[in-house]
Coordinates of all heavy atoms in Angstrom, one line a residue:
S1 N -1.1 -16.1 11.9 CA -0.4 -16.7 10.8 C -1.0 -16.4 9.5 O -0.4 -16.3 8.4 CB -0.3 -18.3 11.0 OG -1.5 -18.9 10.9
A2 N -2.4 -16.2 9.5 CA -3.0 -15.9 8.3 C -2.6 -14.5 7.8 O -2.4 -14.3 6.5 CB -4.6 -15.9 8.4
L3 N -2.4 -13.5 8.7 CA -1.9 -12.2 8.3 C -0.5 -12.3 7.8 O -0.2 -11.7 6.8 CB -2.0 -11.3 9.5 CG -1.6 -9.9 9.3 CD1 -2.4 -9.2 8.2 CD2 -1.6 -9.0 10.6
N4 N 0.4 -13.2 8.3 CA 1.7 -13.3 7.8 C 1.7 -13.8 6.4 O 2.4 -13.4 5.6 CB 2.5 -14.2 8.7 CG 3.0 -13.6 9.9 OD1 3.1 -12.3 10.0 ND2 3.3 -14.4 10.9
K5 N 0.8 -14.7 6.1 CA 0.7 -15.3 4.8 C 0.2 -14.3 3.8 O 0.8 -14.2 2.7 CB -0.3 -16.6 4.8 CG -0.3 -17.3 3.4 CD -1.0 -18.6 3.6 CE -1.2 -19.3 2.3 NZ 0.0 -19.6 1.5
V6 N -0.8 -13.6 4.2 CA -1.3 -12.5 3.3 C -0.1 -11.4 3.0 O 0.1 -11.0 1.9 CB -2.6 -11.8 3.9 CG1 -2.9 -10.6 3.1 CG2 -3.7 -12.8 3.9
Y7 N 0.5 -11.1 4.1 CA 1.5 -10.1 4.0 C 2.6 -10.5 3.1 O 3.1 -9.8 2.2 CB 2.2 -9.9 5.4 CG 3.1 -8.7 5.5 CD1 2.7 -7.5 5.9 CD2 4.4 -8.9 5.2 CE1 3.6 -6.4 6.0 CE2 5.4 -7.8 5.3 CZ 4.9 -6.6 5.7 OH 5.8 -5.5 5.7
E8 N 3.2 -11.8 3.2 CA 4.3 -12.2 2.4 C 3.8 -12.5 0.9 O 4.6 -12.3 0.0 CB 4.8 -13.6 2.9 CG 5.6 -13.4 4.3 CD 6.0 -14.7 4.9 OE1 5.7 -15.7 4.4 OE2 6.4 -14.5 6.0
S9 N 2.6 -12.9 0.7 CA 2.2 -13.2 -0.7 C 1.9 -12.0 -1.5 O 1.8 -12.2 -2.8 CB 1.0 -14.2 -0.6 OG -0.2 -13.6 0.0
N10 N 1.7 -10.9 -0.9 CA 1.3 -9.7 -1.8 C 2.4 -8.6 -1.8 O 2.1 -7.6 -2.7 CB 0.0 -9.0 -1.2 CG -1.2 -10.0 -1.4 OD1 -1.7 -10.1 -2.4 ND2 -1.6 -10.6 -0.3
F11 N 3.4 -8.7 -1.1 CA 4.4 -7.6 -1.2 C 5.0 -7.4 -2.6 O 5.2 -6.3 -3.0 CB 5.6 -7.9 -0.2 CG 6.6 -6.8 -0.2 CD1 6.4 -5.6 0.2 CD2 7.9 -7.2 -0.6 CE1 7.4 -4.6 0.1 CE2 8.9 -6.2 -0.7 CZ 8.6 -4.9 -0.4
N12 N 5.3 -8.5 -3.2 CA 6.0 -8.3 -4.6 C 5.1 -7.5 -5.5 O 5.7 -6.7 -6.3 CB 6.4 -9.6 -5.2 CG 7.6 -10.2 -4.5 OD1 8.5 -9.5 -4.0 ND2 7.7 -11.5 -4.5
M13 N 3.9 -7.7 -5.5 CA 2.9 -6.9 -6.3 C 3.0 -5.4 -6.1 O 3.1 -4.6 -6.9 CB 1.5 -7.5 -6.1 CG 0.4 -6.6 -6.7 SD -1.2 -7.3 -6.4 CE -1.3 -7.2 -4.6
I14 N 3.0 -5.1 -4.7 CA 3.1 -3.7 -4.3 C 4.5 -3.1 -4.6 O 4.6 -2.0 -5.1 CB 2.7 -3.5 -2.8 CG1 1.4 -4.0 -2.6 CG2 2.9 -2.0 -2.4 CD1 0.2 -3.5 -3.4
K15 N 5.5 -3.9 -4.4 CA 6.9 -3.5 -4.6 C 7.1 -3.1 -6.1 O 7.6 -2.0 -6.5 CB 7.9 -4.6 -4.3 CG 9.3 -4.1 -4.5 CD 10.3 -5.3 -4.2 CE 10.2 -6.4 -5.1 NZ 11.2 -7.4 -5.0
R16 N 6.6 -4.0 -7.0 CA 6.6 -3.7 -8.4 C 6.0 -2.4 -8.8 O 6.4 -1.7 -9.6 CB 6.1 -4.9 -9.2 CG 6.4 -5.0 -10.7 CD 6.0 -6.3 -11.2 NE 4.9 -7.1 -10.7 CZ 5.0 -8.1 -9.9 NH1 6.2 -8.6 -9.5 NH2 4.0 -8.7 -9.4
F17 N 4.7 -2.2 -8.3 CA 3.9 -1.0 -8.6 C 4.7 0.2 -8.1 O 4.8 1.2 -8.9 CB 2.5 -1.1 -7.9 CG 1.8 0.2 -8.1 CD1 1.2 0.5 -9.2 CD2 1.7 1.1 -7.0 CE1 0.5 1.7 -9.4 CE2 1.1 2.3 -7.1 CZ 0.4 2.6 -8.4
V18 N 5.2 0.2 -6.9 CA 5.8 1.5 -6.4 C 7.2 1.7 -7.1 O 7.4 2.8 -7.5 CB 6.1 1.3 -4.9 CG1 7.0 2.4 -4.4 CG2 4.8 1.3 -4.1
M19 N 7.9 0.7 -7.4 CA 9.2 0.9 -8.0 C 9.0 1.3 -9.5 O 9.9 2.0 -10.1 CB 10.0 -0.3 -7.9 CG 10.5 -0.5 -6.5 SD 11.5 -2.1 -6.2 CE 13.1 -1.5 -6.8
N20 N 8.0 0.9 -10.1 CA 7.6 1.3 -11.5 C 7.0 2.7 -11.6 O 6.8 3.2 -12.7 CB 6.6 0.3 -12.1 CG 7.4 -1.0 -12.5 OD1 8.6 -1.1 -12.7 ND2 6.6 -2.0 -12.6
N21 N 6.7 3.3 -10.4 CA 6.1 4.6 -10.4 C 6.8 5.5 -9.5 O 6.4 6.0 -8.5 CB 4.7 4.4 -10.0 CG 3.8 3.8 -11.0 OD1 3.4 4.4 -11.9 ND2 3.5 2.5 -10.8
S22 N 8.1 5.7 -9.7 CA 9.0 6.7 -9.1 C 9.4 6.4 -7.7 O 9.7 7.3 -6.9 CB 8.3 8.0 -9.2 OG 8.1 8.5 -10.5
G23 N 9.2 5.2 -7.3 CA 9.6 4.9 -5.9 C 10.8 3.9 -5.8 O 11.3 3.4 -6.9
N24 N 11.2 3.6 -4.7 CA 12.3 2.7 -4.5 C 11.8 1.5 -3.5 O 10.7 1.5 -3.0 CB 13.6 3.4 -4.0 CG 13.4 4.0 -2.6 OD1 12.7 3.6 -1.7 ND2 13.9 5.3 -2.5
Y25 N 12.8 0.7 -3.1 CA 12.4 -0.5 -2.3 C 11.9 -0.1 -0.9 O 11.0 -0.6 -0.4 CB 13.6 -1.4 -2.2 CG 13.4 -2.7 -1.4 CD1 12.7 -3.8 -1.9 CD2 13.8 -2.8 -0.1 CE1 12.4 -4.9 -1.2 CE2 13.5 -3.9 0.7 CZ 12.8 -5.0 0.1 OH 12.6 -6.1 0.8
D26 N 12.6 0.9 -0.4 CA 12.1 1.4 1.0 C 10.8 2.1 0.9 O 10.0 1.9 1.9 CB 13.2 2.4 1.5 CG 14.5 1.7 2.0 OD1 14.5 0.4 2.3 OD2 15.5 2.3 1.9
D27 N 10.5 2.8 -0.2 CA 9.2 3.4 -0.3 C 8.2 2.2 -0.3 O 7.1 2.3 0.3 CB 9.1 4.2 -1.6 CG 9.9 5.4 -1.7 OD1 10.1 6.1 -0.6 OD2 10.4 5.8 -2.7
A28 N 8.5 1.2 -1.1 CA 7.5 0.1 -1.2 C 7.3 -0.6 0.1 O 6.1 -0.9 0.4 CB 8.0 -0.9 -2.2
K29 N 8.3 -0.8 0.8 CA 8.2 -1.3 2.2 C 7.3 -0.5 3.1 O 6.4 -1.0 3.8 CB 9.5 -1.6 2.9 CG 10.3 -2.7 2.3 CD 11.5 -3.2 3.0 CE 12.1 -2.2 4.0 NZ 13.4 -2.6 4.5
D30 N 7.5 0.8 3.1 CA 6.8 1.7 3.9 C 5.3 1.7 3.6 O 4.4 1.7 4.4 CB 7.3 3.2 3.9 CG 8.7 3.3 4.5 OD1 9.0 2.4 5.4 OD2 9.4 4.3 4.3
I31 N 5.1 1.9 2.2 CA 3.7 2.0 1.8 C 3.0 0.6 2.1 O 1.8 0.6 2.5 CB 3.6 2.2 0.3 CG1 4.0 3.7 0.0 CG2 2.2 1.9 -0.4 CD1 3.1 4.8 0.6
Y32 N 3.6 -0.4 1.9 CA 3.0 -1.8 2.1 C 2.7 -2.0 3.6 O 1.6 -2.4 3.9 CB 3.9 -2.9 1.6 CG 3.2 -4.3 1.6 CD1 2.2 -4.4 0.8 CD2 3.7 -5.3 2.3 CE1 1.5 -5.6 0.8 CE2 3.0 -6.5 2.3 CZ 2.0 -6.7 1.5 OH 1.3 -7.9 1.5
Q33 N 3.6 -1.6 4.5 CA 3.4 -1.7 5.9 C 2.2 -0.8 6.3 O 1.2 -1.3 7.0 CB 4.6 -1.3 6.6 CG 4.5 -1.4 8.2 CD 4.7 -2.8 8.6 OE1 5.4 -3.5 7.9 NE2 4.1 -3.1 9.7
E34 N 2.1 0.4 5.8 CA 0.9 1.2 6.2 C -0.4 0.7 5.5 O -1.4 0.7 6.2 CB 1.2 2.6 5.6 CG 2.3 3.4 6.4 CD 2.7 4.7 5.6 OE1 1.8 5.2 4.8 OE2 3.7 5.2 5.9
G35 N -0.2 0.2 4.4 CA -1.4 -0.4 3.7 C -2.0 -1.6 4.4 O -3.2 -1.7 4.6
I36 N -1.1 -2.5 4.8 CA -1.6 -3.7 5.5 C -2.2 -3.3 6.8 O -3.3 -3.9 7.2 CB -0.4 -4.6 5.7 CG1 0.1 -5.4 4.4 CG2 -0.6 -5.7 6.8 CD1 -1.0 -6.3 3.8
L37 N -1.7 -2.3 7.6 CA -2.2 -2.0 8.8 C -3.7 -1.3 8.6 O -4.6 -1.6 9.3 CB -1.4 -0.9 9.5 CG -0.1 -1.4 10.1 CD1 0.8 -0.3 10.7 CD2 -0.4 -2.4 11.2
D38 N -3.8 -0.6 7.5 CA -5.1 0.0 7.2 C -6.1 -1.1 6.8 O -7.3 -1.1 7.2 CB -5.1 0.9 6.0 CG -4.4 2.3 6.4 OD1 -4.2 2.5 7.6 OD2 -4.2 3.1 5.5
V39 N -5.6 -2.1 6.0 CA -6.5 -3.2 5.6 C -6.9 -3.9 6.9 O -8.1 -4.3 7.0 CB -5.8 -4.2 4.6 CG1 -6.6 -5.4 4.5 CG2 -5.6 -3.5 3.3
Y40 N -6.0 -4.3 7.7 CA -6.3 -4.9 9.0 C -7.4 -4.2 9.9 O -8.3 -4.8 10.4 CB -5.0 -5.2 9.8 CG -5.1 -6.0 11.1 CD1 -5.5 -7.4 11.0 CD2 -5.1 -5.4 12.3 CE1 -5.7 -8.1 12.2 CE2 -5.4 -6.0 13.5 CZ -5.6 -7.4 13.4 OH -5.8 -8.1 14.6
E41 N -7.1 -2.9 10.0 CA -8.1 -2.1 10.8 C -9.5 -2.1 10.1 O -10.5 -2.1 10.7 CB -7.5 -0.7 10.8 CG -6.4 -0.6 11.9 CD -5.8 0.9 11.9 OE1 -6.3 1.8 11.3 OE2 -4.8 1.0 12.6
N42 N -9.5 -2.0 8.8 CA -10.8 -2.0 8.1 C -11.5 -3.3 8.2 O -12.7 -3.4 8.3 CB -10.5 -1.7 6.6 CG -10.2 -0.2 6.4 OD1 -10.3 0.6 7.3 ND2 -9.7 0.0 5.2
I43 N -10.7 -4.4 8.3 CA -11.4 -5.7 8.6 C -11.9 -5.7 9.9 O -13.1 -6.2 10.2 CB -10.4 -6.8 8.2 CG1 -10.1 -7.0 6.7 CG2 -10.9 -8.2 8.8 CD1 -8.9 -7.9 6.4
C44 N -11.1 -5.3 10.9 CA -11.6 -5.4 12.3 C -12.8 -4.5 12.6 O -13.6 -4.8 13.3 CB -10.4 -5.0 13.2 SG -9.1 -6.2 13.3
N45 N -12.8 -3.3 11.8 CA -13.9 -2.3 12.1 C -15.0 -2.5 11.1 O -16.0 -1.8 11.1 CB -13.4 -0.9 11.8 CG -12.4 -0.5 12.9 OD1 -12.4 -1.0 14.0 ND2 -11.4 0.4 12.5
E46 N -14.9 -3.6 10.4 CA -16.0 -4.1 9.4 C -16.3 -3.0 8.4 O -17.3 -3.0 7.8 CB -17.3 -4.5 10.2 CG -17.1 -5.6 11.1 CD -18.4 -6.0 11.9 OE1 -19.4 -5.4 11.6 OE2 -18.4 -7.0 12.6
K47 N -15.2 -2.2 8.0 CA -15.4 -1.3 6.8 C -15.2 -2.2 5.6 O -15.6 -1.8 4.5 CB -14.3 -0.3 6.9 CG -14.6 0.8 8.0 CD -13.6 1.9 8.0 CE -14.0 2.9 9.1 NZ -12.9 4.0 9.2
Y48 N -14.4 -3.3 5.7 CA -14.2 -4.1 4.6 C -14.9 -5.5 5.0 O -14.8 -6.0 6.0 CB -12.7 -4.5 4.4 CG -12.5 -5.7 3.3 CD1 -12.5 -5.4 2.0 CD2 -12.3 -6.9 3.8 CE1 -12.4 -6.4 1.1 CE2 -12.1 -8.0 2.9 CZ -12.1 -7.7 1.6 OH -12.0 -8.7 0.7
K49 N -15.8 -5.8 4.1 CA -16.5 -7.1 4.2 C -16.2 -8.0 3.1 O -16.1 -7.6 2.0 CB -18.0 -6.9 4.3 CG -18.4 -6.0 5.5 CD -20.0 -5.8 5.4 CE -20.5 -5.1 6.7 NZ -19.9 -4.0 7.0
Y50 N -15.9 -9.3 3.5 CA -15.4 -10.2 2.5 C -16.5 -10.5 1.5 O -17.7 -10.7 1.9 CB -15.0 -11.6 3.1 CG -14.7 -12.6 2.2 CD1 -13.5 -12.6 1.5 CD2 -15.6 -13.7 1.9 CE1 -13.2 -13.7 0.6 CE2 -15.3 -14.7 1.0 CZ -14.1 -14.6 0.4 OH -13.8 -15.6 -0.5
E51 N -16.2 -10.5 0.3 CA -17.1 -10.9 -0.8 C -16.4 -11.9 -1.7 O -15.2 -11.7 -2.0 CB -17.6 -9.7 -1.6 CG -18.3 -8.6 -0.8 CD -18.7 -7.4 -1.6 OE1 -18.8 -7.5 -2.9 OE2 -18.8 -6.4 -1.0
T52 N -17.2 -12.8 -2.2 CA -16.5 -13.8 -3.0 C -16.0 -13.3 -4.4 O -15.1 -13.7 -5.0 CB -17.5 -15.0 -3.3 OG1 -18.7 -14.4 -4.0 CG2 -17.8 -15.8 -2.1
S53 N -16.6 -12.1 -4.8 CA -16.2 -11.5 -6.0 C -15.0 -10.6 -5.9 O -14.4 -10.1 -6.9 CB -17.4 -10.7 -6.7 OG -17.8 -9.6 -5.7
V54 N -14.6 -10.3 -4.7 CA -13.5 -9.4 -4.5 C -12.3 -10.1 -3.7 O -12.6 -10.5 -2.6 CB -13.9 -8.1 -3.7 CG1 -12.7 -7.2 -3.5 CG2 -15.0 -7.4 -4.4
N55 N -11.2 -10.2 -4.4 CA -10.0 -10.9 -3.7 C -9.4 -9.9 -2.7 O -9.2 -8.8 -3.1 CB -9.1 -11.3 -4.8 CG -8.0 -12.2 -4.4 OD1 -7.7 -12.2 -3.2 ND2 -7.6 -13.1 -5.3
I56 N -8.9 -10.4 -1.6 CA -8.2 -9.6 -0.6 C -7.0 -8.9 -1.3 O -6.6 -7.8 -0.9 CB -7.9 -10.3 0.6 CG1 -7.4 -9.5 1.8 CG2 -6.9 -11.5 0.4 CD1 -8.4 -8.6 2.3
S57 N -6.3 -9.7 -2.2 CA -5.2 -9.0 -2.9 C -5.5 -7.7 -3.6 O -4.8 -6.8 -3.7 CB -4.6 -10.1 -3.8 OG -4.1 -11.2 -3.1
T58 N -6.7 -7.9 -4.2 CA -7.3 -6.7 -5.0 C -7.5 -5.5 -4.1 O -7.1 -4.3 -4.4 CB -8.4 -7.0 -5.8 OG1 -8.3 -8.2 -6.6 CG2 -8.9 -5.8 -6.6
Y59 N -7.9 -5.8 -2.9 CA -8.2 -4.7 -1.9 C -6.9 -4.2 -1.4 O -6.7 -2.9 -1.3 CB -9.1 -5.4 -0.8 CG -9.5 -4.3 0.2 CD1 -10.3 -3.2 -0.1 CD2 -9.1 -4.4 1.5 CE1 -10.7 -2.3 0.8 CE2 -9.4 -3.5 2.5 CZ -10.3 -2.3 2.1 OH -10.6 -1.5 3.1
I60 N -6.0 -5.0 -1.1 CA -4.6 -4.6 -0.6 C -4.0 -3.6 -1.6 O -3.4 -2.6 -1.4 CB -3.7 -5.8 -0.3 CG1 -4.3 -6.4 1.0 CG2 -2.3 -5.3 -0.1 CD1 -3.6 -7.8 1.3
Y61 N -4.0 -4.1 -2.9 CA -3.4 -3.4 -4.0 C -4.1 -2.0 -4.1 O -3.4 -1.0 -4.3 CB -3.6 -4.1 -5.3 CG -3.0 -3.4 -6.5 CD1 -1.7 -3.5 -6.8 CD2 -3.8 -2.6 -7.4 CE1 -1.1 -2.8 -7.9 CE2 -3.3 -1.9 -8.4 CZ -2.0 -2.1 -8.7 OH -1.4 -1.4 -9.8
S62 N -5.4 -1.9 -4.0 CA -6.1 -0.6 -4.1 C -5.8 0.3 -3.0 O -5.5 1.5 -3.2 CB -7.6 -0.9 -4.1 OG -8.4 0.2 -4.0
V63 N -5.7 -0.3 -1.8 CA -5.3 0.6 -0.7 C -3.8 1.2 -0.8 O -3.6 2.3 -0.6 CB -5.5 -0.2 0.7 CG1 -4.8 0.5 1.9 CG2 -6.9 -0.5 1.0
C64 N -2.9 0.3 -1.1 CA -1.6 0.6 -1.2 C -1.4 1.6 -2.4 O -0.6 2.6 -2.4 CB -0.6 -0.5 -1.4 SG -0.6 -1.5 0.1
R65 N -2.0 1.3 -3.5 CA -2.1 2.3 -4.7 C -2.4 3.7 -4.3 O -1.8 4.6 -4.7 CB -2.9 1.7 -5.8 CG -2.8 2.6 -7.1 CD -3.8 2.0 -8.2 NE -3.6 2.8 -9.4 CZ -4.1 4.0 -9.6 NH1 -4.9 4.6 -8.6 NH2 -4.0 4.6 -10.7
N66 N -3.6 3.7 -3.6 CA -4.0 5.1 -3.2 C -3.1 5.7 -2.3 O -2.9 7.0 -2.4 CB -5.4 4.9 -2.6 CG -6.5 4.6 -3.6 OD1 -6.4 4.8 -4.7 ND2 -7.6 4.0 -3.0
K67 N -2.5 5.0 -1.4 CA -1.5 5.6 -0.5 C -0.2 6.1 -1.2 O 0.3 7.1 -1.0 CB -1.0 4.6 0.6 CG -2.0 4.3 1.6 CD -1.3 3.4 2.7 CE -2.0 3.7 4.0 NZ -2.1 5.0 4.4
W68 N 0.2 5.3 -2.3 CA 1.3 5.8 -3.0 C 1.1 7.0 -3.9 O 1.9 7.9 -4.0 CB 1.9 4.6 -3.9 CG 3.1 5.0 -4.6 CD1 3.3 5.0 -6.0 CD2 4.3 5.5 -4.1 NE1 4.5 5.5 -6.3 CE2 5.2 5.8 -5.1 CE3 4.9 5.7 -2.7 CZ2 6.5 6.3 -5.0 CZ3 6.1 6.2 -2.6 CH2 6.9 6.5 -3.6
M69 N -0.1 7.0 -4.5 CA -0.5 8.2 -5.3 C -0.6 9.4 -4.4 O -0.1 10.5 -4.8 CB -1.9 7.9 -6.0 CG -1.7 6.8 -7.0 SD -0.3 6.7 -8.1 CE -1.0 7.7 -9.4
K70 N -1.1 9.2 -3.2 CA -1.1 10.4 -2.2 C 0.3 10.9 -1.9 O 0.6 12.0 -1.8 CB -1.9 10.0 -1.0 CG -2.0 11.1 0.0 CD -2.9 10.7 1.2 CE -3.0 11.8 2.1 NZ -3.8 11.4 3.3
E71 N 1.2 9.9 -1.7 CA 2.5 10.3 -1.3 C 3.2 11.0 -2.5 O 4.0 11.9 -2.2 CB 3.3 8.9 -1.0 CG 4.8 9.1 -0.8 CD 5.1 9.9 0.5 OE1 4.4 10.0 1.3 OE2 6.3 10.6 0.4
L72 N 3.0 10.5 -3.7 CA 3.6 11.3 -4.9 C 3.1 12.6 -5.0 O 3.8 13.6 -5.3 CB 3.3 10.4 -6.1 CG 4.1 9.2 -6.4 CD1 3.7 8.5 -7.6 CD2 5.6 9.4 -6.3
R73 N 1.8 12.9 -4.7 CA 1.3 14.2 -4.8 C 1.9 15.1 -3.8 O 2.2 16.2 -4.0 CB -0.3 14.1 -4.7 CG -1.1 13.8 -5.8 CD -2.5 14.0 -5.7 NE -3.2 13.2 -4.6 CZ -3.6 12.0 -4.7 NH1 -3.5 11.4 -5.9 NH2 -4.1 11.4 -3.7
N74 N 2.0 14.5 -2.6 CA 2.7 15.3 -1.5 C 4.1 15.7 -1.8 O 4.6 16.7 -1.4 CB 2.6 14.6 -0.1 CG 1.2 14.5 0.4 OD1 0.3 15.3 0.1 ND2 0.9 13.5 1.3
R75 N 4.9 14.8 -2.4 CA 6.3 15.0 -2.7 C 6.3 16.1 -3.8 O 7.3 17.0 -3.7 CB 6.9 13.8 -3.3 CG 7.2 12.8 -2.2 CD 7.8 11.6 -2.9 NE 8.1 10.5 -1.9 CZ 8.8 9.4 -2.1 NH1 9.3 9.2 -3.3 NH2 8.9 8.5 -1.1
I76 N 5.4 16.3 -4.6 CA 5.5 17.3 -5.6 C 5.2 18.6 -5.0 O 5.8 19.7 -5.3 CB 4.4 17.1 -6.7 CG1 4.8 15.9 -7.6 CG2 4.2 18.2 -7.7 CD1 3.8 15.3 -8.6
K77 N 4.3 18.7 -4.0 CA 3.9 19.9 -3.3 C 5.0 20.4 -2.4 O 5.0 21.7 -2.0 CB 2.6 19.8 -2.5 CG 1.4 19.6 -3.4 CD 0.2 19.3 -2.6 CE -1.0 19.0 -3.4 NZ -2.2 18.8 -2.7
Q78 N 5.9 19.6 -1.9 CA 6.9 20.0 -0.9 C 7.9 21.0 -1.5 O 8.4 20.7 -2.6 CB 7.7 18.8 -0.4 CG 6.9 17.9 0.5 CD 7.7 16.7 1.0 OE1 8.8 16.5 0.6 NE2 7.1 15.9 1.8
P79 N 8.1 22.1 -0.8 CA 9.1 23.1 -1.3 C 10.5 22.5 -1.2 O 10.7 21.6 -0.4 CB 8.9 24.3 -0.4 CG 8.3 23.7 0.8 CD 7.5 22.5 0.4
F80 N 11.4 23.0 -2.0 CA 12.7 22.5 -1.9 C 13.7 23.7 -2.1 O 13.3 24.8 -2.6 CB 13.0 21.4 -2.9 CG 12.8 21.9 -4.4 CD1 13.9 22.3 -5.1 CD2 11.6 21.7 -5.0 CE1 13.7 22.8 -6.4 CE2 11.4 22.1 -6.3 CZ 12.5 22.7 -6.9
L81 N 14.9 23.6 -1.7 CA 15.9 24.6 -1.7 C 17.0 24.2 -2.7 O 17.4 23.0 -2.8 CB 16.6 24.9 -0.4 CG 15.7 25.3 0.8 CD1 16.5 25.4 2.1 CD2 15.1 26.7 0.4
L82 N 17.3 25.1 -3.6 CA 18.4 24.8 -4.5 C 19.8 25.1 -3.9 O 19.8 26.1 -3.1 CB 18.3 25.7 -5.8 CG 17.0 25.4 -6.7 CD1 17.0 26.5 -7.7 CD2 17.0 24.1 -7.3
K83 N 20.6 24.2 -4.1 CA 22.0 24.5 -3.4 C 23.0 24.9 -4.5 O 23.0 24.6 -5.7 CB 22.5 23.3 -2.8 CG 21.6 22.8 -1.7 CD 22.3 21.6 -0.9 CE 21.4 21.2 0.2 NZ 22.0 20.1 1.0

């Protein structure tokens, strides 16, 4: 239930970031899903350690932001065909 609460309370922040940076709602959902999984794995593997000075929302934002920026870089590199 704690994961659900964190998931629901942070999605709008990521959605707003992705949609303001060349993405759409589906992109935001995908990036957020992947980001939450990474955050969960990092907590379980103790790569992320809770600190009173760092809010979990900030960590989620950072992970999702990095994922979105990587996605944008990959989209630019993809070749395309003119019709």
Side-chain angles (χ1 to χ4, degrees):
S1 71
L3 183 58
N4 284 338
K5 183 168 176 62
V6 169
Y7 188 94
E8 291 173 4
S9 64
N10 290 287
F11 176 67
N12 286 331
M13 170 180 61
I14 302 306
K15 178 181 74 170
R16 192 169 32 258
F17 172 76
V18 170
M19 292 178 76
N20 286 336
N21 290 283
S22 304
N24 60 39
Y25 182 79
D26 289 332
D27 292 330
K29 286 188 344 186
D30 291 342
I31 289 296
Y32 190 60
Q33 183 76 25
E34 293 171 17
I36 287 291
L37 288 174
D38 285 354
V39 168
Y40 181 75
E41 287 176 5
N42 289 345
I43 290 171
C44 290
N45 295 332
E46 297 182 1
K47 289 182 181 178
Y48 170 80
K49 293 183 176 50
Y50 176 75
E51 297 178 26
T52 56
S53 63
V54 179
N55 192 329
I56 189 71
S57 296
T58 305
Y59 184 63
I60 291 169
Y61 181 84
S62 175
V63 168
C64 292
R65 181 185 184 282
N66 289 337
K67 286 187 151 311
W68 182 242
M69 299 310 273
K70 182 178 179 181
E71 174 64 26
L72 288 176
R73 282 191 300 273
N74 288 339
R75 287 182 181 186
I76 291 170
K77 291 179 185 178
Q78 290 179 355
F80 60 91
L81 297 173
L82 295 176
K83 293 185 180 184

